[in-house]
Amino acid sequence: MKLSEFAEVCGFEVITKGSEDKELTDVYCCDLLSFAMTRNPSGSVWVTVMGNVNTIAVAVLTEGGCIVVAEGAAIDESAVEKAEQQGVAVFRTDMPVFDAALKAHGLLKG
């Protein structure tokens, strides 16, 4: 599924749009950035509660598809700025991590 299509149907709040032609392939959940650096699959919808600039750096490093900040967690303004600069799509939801990941999985895997 293309990122642009995911943004239209997911129902999450769009914080930054990112590269809309990026292909999303999988869902990944993790809040430990050092762990995500080695395990976040390329093209993944990464669901986390971490909304800081380091999260954006990890998404760029791993070539993740987008970030979904769950649980209504805050997203730092510096993270939003860096995401816009780096072309990283960031979404926000009040849903728990599990529910957000399950929803994303259902959209990607049908």
Side-chain angles (χ1 to χ4, degrees), residues 71-101:
E71 310 269 354
I75 302 170
D76 298 344
E77 186 58 38
S78 59
V80 172
E81 291 173 16
K82 185 57 79 174
E84 288 172 345
Q85 292 170 1
Q86 296 291 323
V88 176
V90 179
F91 301 90
R92 180 175 27 215
T93 182
D94 288 333
M95 297 172 79
V97 169
F98 177 81
D99 294 339

Side-chain angles (χ1 to χ4, degrees), residues 1-8 17-25 43 64-66 86-89 91:
M1 172 181 282
K2 295 281 186 197
L3 178 58
S4 58
E5 183 182 355
F6 181 81
E8 288 179 22
K17 290 186 178 185
S19 178
E20 295 181 340
D21 62 337
K22 185 168 274 205
E23 188 70 28
L24 302 179
T25 57
C66 66
Q86 296 291 323
V88 176
F91 301 90

